[in-house]
Every structure is written in C-alpha cells, then in structure tokens.
Amino acid sequence: MIASLSDTTRLNNGVNMPWLGLGVWKVEDGGTVAETVKSAIRLGYRSIDTAAVYGNETGVGQGIRECGVPREELFITTKVWNSDQGYDSTLAAFDTSLDKLGLEYVDLYLVHWPVKGKYVETWKALTHLYQSGRVKAIGVSNFQIHHLEDIIGETGVIPAVNQVEFHPYLTQKPLLSFCKDKGIQLEAWSPLAQGALTNHPVLGEIGAKYGKSASQVILRWDLQNGVVTIPKTVHEGRLKENADIFDFVLSPSDMEAIDALNRNERKGSDPDNFNF
C-alpha cells in the first residue's frame, strides 16, 4: 500500500519516482513558481513537474536551489515542446531547458505531444540523452497505444513513463492496461479535471465516509490504480490537502463507483487531433 508522501514507484530502468508530485502548469515564472516549489518541498514533496512550454523552468530552478534539500533527493521532470521536436532540435531544446533550470541533469524528460512525422525522431533523441547520463529516465506524454507501439517498434526502447490526462471522467482503462503490461508507469496530468469534479455528489458522498474531500478521494483513486499523480496548485493549504491522502484506503466498491463516472471526456486536446 502507498502509505506516505515519500513512497515511490520503481520505473522500468530501476529509477525511483514519487507517487505524488507538484505540477506547475500555468504557474507564473519567477517568484510565484519559486515560492510554490519551496513550499511544496518544505511540506515533503520531492517531485516537481514542469515543461519548456510552461515558461517557468527558470523559476522552478530557483526554487530548487533555494529549497535547502539536496538535489539528489528531488525528482525533476521537464518536457520538449512540439515546435522543438525532431532529433537535433530536441537535443538543443534539452540544453536550453537544463540551462534555464540551472541543473546538471533532470530525472525525467518527456516528449510533450506525439507530433506527427516527428515523435519517433524525437524519441530517438531522448534515448541519446538517456545514454549520455544527463537524464535519469525518459518517457512520453499524451501518447496513445498506437503512438507507444510506433516508438517501441522503431527503437526497441520502452518509455519509463506516459503522462496523460487521467481522471474519473477519463479513466483510459485500455491505455492503463497496455502500460502496465509493458512496464510503463502511467502518470496523471489534470487529475482533478481542472476542478470539474470537486463538487461531484458521488465523490462527495465517498469522501464523507473517510472524512476527505472529493479532491482527496480522486488522488487516492489515482494511487490505488497504480497511477502517479501531479495536481497543480499555488496555495499552501491545497498543497497540504493534496498530500493528506495516505491515511485511508478506498474500498473496492468505492473504486468501482468512481470508475463508473467515466465519460471518455477530455478537458485537454485529443492526442490524435491537435495542431499546436
């Protein structure tokens, strides 16, 4: 059972990744994101997830340097953006991200979206970065089963992580099953469906049984599905609430009730139909 904020999952290359982390999408660069990172780390978080397109890698790096926790105890993720995809341009984009973060390595580097005609070459660049030792683990984001089959078939290299939109309105059971079979760790972005589920009566009723909020129920549901989760917030109170999910276990019937909320409904873009 996942029982504390310090608990980790072992990725397919032996690297340990925290089950719960902080996402910083749309968090303003500079002092705002730096203070949010420091607050999270002070509360016990060790995983921070950013991306080149978020425009806040510099502030994340500042927070890391000022947090007082040794670098090797942290797990830092960033991602290559779509306009930088391709082999050589991905390598250059990684150098830029590393420079902005002010780090010698990142723990996880992801292909942000499966850009048609480019994601295979981008994946080859990530495998090169992994072999160079400047990335501890490599993975993808927003990849469907056929995208994963493409890159594995072309390179023989299985991603360590696939970070996708995942919440009770979008349970992605076939993808979750595929990733488990392949040893790919699924990770949830937008686990709270951008707030759409926080007042759902079913989740509220389940939460009442455990003395938890609907958000806490969802995050616990993630973990019990074997899915890493990275809720985003800039509020210290919410950071504490999101981390207070290790003292209860959802029953099988509650897990089934949450699964039944699935609508195959996305809040973000369709990985098979996007143009950015």
Side-chain angles (χ1 to χ4, degrees), residues 209-240:
K209 292 196 292 184
Y210 301 96
K212 299 294 180 179
S213 68
S215 296
Q216 290 170 317
V217 167
I218 294 169
L219 297 176
R220 186 70 211 183
W221 172 80
D222 285 347
L223 300 187
Q224 289 182 219
N225 272 307
V227 175
V228 167
T229 187
I230 47 167
K232 170 247 174 177
T233 184
V234 296
H235 304 291
E236 185 158 330
R238 189 59 58 82
L239 284 168
K240 291 178 181 177

Side-chain angles (χ1 to χ4, degrees), residues 32-249:
T32 299
V33 74
E35 290 303 318
T36 301
V37 166
K38 288 191 288 185
S39 292
I41 293 171
R42 185 170 61 250
L43 291 169
Y45 288 76
R46 291 296 179 263
S47 176
I48 309 295
D49 178 279
T50 185
V53 76
Y54 298 172
N56 56 19
E57 289 171 311
T58 301
V60 168
Q62 178 187 339
I64 292 167
R65 287 189 298 277
E66 296 176 355
C67 72
V69 171
R71 167 69 183 95
E72 60 271 18
E73 295 182 18
L74 303 176
F75 190 97
I76 309 302
T77 301
T78 193
K79 314 173 190 75
V80 57
W81 183 239
N82 302 349
S83 58
D84 290 322
Q85 287 198 35
Y87 190 87
D88 291 334
S89 49
T90 292
L91 298 181
F94 177 77
D95 287 340
T96 299
S97 286
L98 211 59
D99 184 59
K100 287 183 176 180
L101 287 162
L103 301 177
E104 294 182 359
Y105 69 93
V106 294
D107 299 275
L108 179 63
Y109 197 45
L110 304 179
V111 183
H112 209 148
W113 287 85
V115 176
K116 290 179 182 178
K118 291 189 175 182
Y119 65 83
V120 172
E121 288 303 305
T122 303
W123 181 242
K124 290 177 180 177
L126 264 66
T127 65
H128 173 78
L129 290 168
Y130 175 68
Q131 291 163 359
S132 77
R134 294 195 297 160
V135 181
K136 299 299 183 185
I138 53 174
V140 295
S141 184
N142 302 300
F143 274 46
Q144 305 278 58
I145 291 171
H146 68 93
H147 300 125
L148 293 166
E149 290 174 334
D150 283 347
I151 61 172
I152 295 168
E154 285 280 345
T155 67
V157 179
I158 299 174
V161 172
N162 185 18
Q163 183 187 115
V164 300
E165 182 177 353
F166 180 90
H167 47 70
Y169 281 167
L170 185 69
T171 58
Q172 305 226 57
K173 292 294 186 183
L175 180 61
L176 177 59
S177 178
F178 178 89
C179 287
K180 285 184 176 179
D181 286 346
K182 292 290 186 181
I184 302 168
Q185 176 62 56
L186 204 71
E187 179 179 17
W189 65 258
S190 195
L192 305 178
Q194 298 177 20
L197 285 156
T198 53
N199 294 312
H200 196 288
V202 170
L203 296 170
E205 183 178 330
I206 292 171
K209 292 196 292 184
Y210 301 96
K212 299 294 180 179
S213 68
S215 296
Q216 290 170 317
V217 167
I218 294 169
L219 297 176
R220 186 70 211 183
W221 172 80
D222 285 347
L223 300 187
Q224 289 182 219
N225 272 307
V227 175
V228 167
T229 187
I230 47 167
K232 170 247 174 177
T233 184
V234 296
H235 304 291
E236 185 158 330
R238 189 59 58 82
L239 284 168
K240 291 178 181 177
E241 179 184 331
N242 290 345
D244 187 20
I245 58 171
F246 300 102
D247 58 351
F248 75 110
V249 176

